[in-house]
Amino acid sequence: MSILAIPKYLEIKEQIIDEIKGKPVNSPISSERDLAIQFDASRMTVRNSINELVEEGYLYREKNKGTFVADKKLIKKNTATEILQSYDSNDYSIIYFSFKNAEDLEFDITPFLELDEEDSRVLRIVRLNKTEGRPSSVEEVYFIKSFVSDEDVKNLRNLLNLNHLIVNGSVTQRFHPVIIPAQYANLLKLKINIPVIMIESTIRSMNGKPLVYIRAYNNPFEKTIEITS
Amino acid sequence: MSILAIPKYLEIKEQIIDEIKGKPVNSPISSERDLAIQFDASRMTVRNSINELVEEGYLYREKNKGTFVADKKLIKKNTATEILQSYDSNDYSIIYFSFKNAEDLEFDITPFLELDEEDSRVLRIVRLNKTEGRPSSVEEVYFIKSFVSDEDVKNLRNLLNLNHLIVNGSVTQRFHPVIIPAQYANLLKLKINIPVIMIESTIRSMNGKPLVYIRAYNNPFEKTIEITS
DNA sequence: CAGTGGTCTAGACCACGCT
DNA sequence: GCGTGGTCTAGACCACTGG
């Protein structure tokens, strides 16, 4: 290796991505042995790059035949990552926030955040996400109070950047069909009594400890929930 | 290697799974170097095993620290695999099936199966899935007629085994909130006018060709749709 | 037959954490 | 300073495909 901070296999991965952008679906890429020569790397290093690209849905392998460019529409997507996008675009308004006692909420949050009597206060933030200026979802975000610093409260947008929590943790999502709550129908500019999907998300650290709980009410006319695997 | 048909890294993987079953969450497993000695394998082979277990959510790594047993509730799940379960359990009834012209359906199926004038007939099967005897979902399954053999029509349950298509292909799913259609409310023993999630799935081969299109209406009281990533 | 991906080895150096 | 996972090398043999 060299002094570079970026591993060689990630550089190779990026170069392969660039190369296949100009290639038709189902066309073969060079063989692993050829790529190893081309990139002056060992075959195992090239395989590491290709493995990740296969995992992410950019390529697929056929044993004894070769490695081929996958259809772009097969690239793996996951609803969990959609949460990130609302951060990336940063296109949202904070409607409301306050600290609450768990017992004052309309539902029992304690199982989701594994709260106990010692630690039963949460920070509740309601935000309205937009795509291209139109309201796409309302999210109720719940943080455990002891997880939130005074600094965070002053900078909620920083706190609401859940990206690093997600990439270093685990996200479980449950999908519930519900009639849109009246107060959110208004925010989302929807008629009352229409069905929407409420996504309940729990973000946990790798050791299983819950960090954040989210209820998202999605505007079905703005964003279809889609996953590819 | 030896004469064994099963690769060593898969054997090691199974042994690691067995070992961690008795270990508490977040406890460390042996280091890769120790495991290599223990299993009489090279470290790269052990890493291959562990990589898959991490990918599947059984273990997690911490750089410079070790590899640890992950929380079982964090094991990665995907709604696509739920389709398999309805096959595995085999607990379903076929309500109806017939060949249809694409233009005779209530909606335009041609974009989903990429049909053309030459090949515009489909086999439509409606099945009622059950869990523990209770109705959990109604699925409308659409196959391209030219994809279905006479043999298949005689053995629909074999055709409806979508397992091999999914593991060798790609699944895209879209989630739609809808009011349960009246004819399905009856089948699912639901009241009319309640909201449910309709999952639209397209199974494609690796080269992107659509093979099967499915509309599933899920009974929210029997099965919560959940994914972990 | 040559070429492919799949598996495997026995080393190596690195950055980082912990004691 | 020792142990960890992360990266990397330069080989090797296998089963299988396709000309």
Side-chain angles (χ1 to χ4, degrees), chain A:
Chain A
M1 273 309 300
S2 62
I3 39 169
L4 290 179
I6 298 176
K8 190 188 270 193
Y9 84 94
L10 286 180
E11 303 238 35
I12 294 174
K13 189 177 160 185
E14 291 308 315
Q15 293 198 51
I16 295 175
I17 288 179
D18 281 348
E19 281 183 31
I20 64 181
K21 271 179 184 156
K23 301 185 94 179
V25 170
N26 298 326
S27 60
I29 67 168
S30 306
S31 75
E32 297 176 353
R33 288 165 180 83
D34 285 352
L35 289 171
I37 295 168
Q38 179 184 330
F39 291 121
D40 189 31
S42 79
R43 191 178 150 217
M44 289 305 283
T45 299
V46 170
R47 269 186 77 77
N48 196 359
S49 311
I50 296 178
N51 279 343
E52 293 204 357
L53 290 170
V54 169
E55 195 62 40
E56 292 162 19
Y58 287 93
L59 300 173
Y60 65 95
R61 295 190 209 262
E62 292 199 13
K63 205 186 293 190
N64 314 317
K65 290 190 184 171
T67 305
F68 303 87
V69 178
D71 200 324
K72 277 179 284 292
K73 63 176 170 290
L74 305 185
I75 288 179
K76 297 181 184 183
K77 287 195 290 187
N78 192 312
T79 316
T81 53
E82 310 274 307
I83 299 175
L84 301 179
Q85 295 177 352
S86 51
Y87 149 70
D88 280 336
S89 69
N90 231 18
D91 191 2
Y92 64 84
S93 327
I94 295 173
I95 303 295
Y96 173 90
F97 72 96
S98 73
F99 288 99
K100 295 261 189 190
N101 287 313
E103 58 264 31
D104 295 336
L105 295 173
E106 300 145 0
F107 62 96
D108 185 9
I109 200 174
T110 56
F112 301 121
L113 289 178
E114 293 172 13
L115 300 170
D116 51 34
E117 297 95 35
E118 299 290 304
D119 196 11
S120 73
R121 282 178 72 76
V122 298
L123 173 60
R124 177 178 187 269
I125 303 174
V126 179
R127 72 169 168 185
L128 177 65
N129 297 307
K130 295 170 191 163
T131 49
E132 296 167 17
R134 298 186 303 276
S136 55
S137 67
V138 178
E139 285 179 323
E140 303 169 359
V141 187
Y142 298 87
F143 295 93
I144 302 169
K145 181 177 189 300
S146 57
F147 177 76
V148 179
S149 70
D150 290 349
E151 199 68 24
D152 287 330
V153 179
K154 286 178 200 142
N155 190 348
L156 287 181
R157 294 185 96 85
N158 186 52
L159 179 63
L160 285 169
N161 170 2
L162 304 169
N163 197 328
H164 62 286
L165 297 181
I166 293 172
V167 297
N168 296 309
S170 163
V171 184
T172 298
Q173 298 183 304
R174 283 175 296 278
F175 297 71
H176 304 281
V178 298
I179 298 298
I180 182 82
Q183 71 273 29
Y184 295 152
N186 192 29
L187 281 173
L188 292 172
K189 297 183 180 165
L190 294 174
K191 286 182 224 164
I192 59 167
N193 289 334
I194 72 160
V196 301
I197 295 174
M198 188 271 277
I199 305 183
E200 214 182 4
S201 304
T202 305
I203 305 176
R204 290 189 179 81
S205 66
M206 276 306 186
N207 66 25
K209 182 173 165 41
L211 303 174
V212 186
Y213 172 76
I214 303 167
R215 291 186 166 207
Y217 295 83
N218 292 277
N219 183 338
F221 301 108
E222 286 301 332
K223 194 170 60 179
T224 299
I225 299 159
E226 181 172 310
I227 66 181
T228 298
S229 54

Side-chain angles (χ1 to χ4, degrees), chain B residues 38 49 87 113 118 202 223:
Chain B
Q38 179 184 330
S49 311
Y87 149 70
L113 290 177
E118 300 290 304
T202 306
K223 196 170 62 178

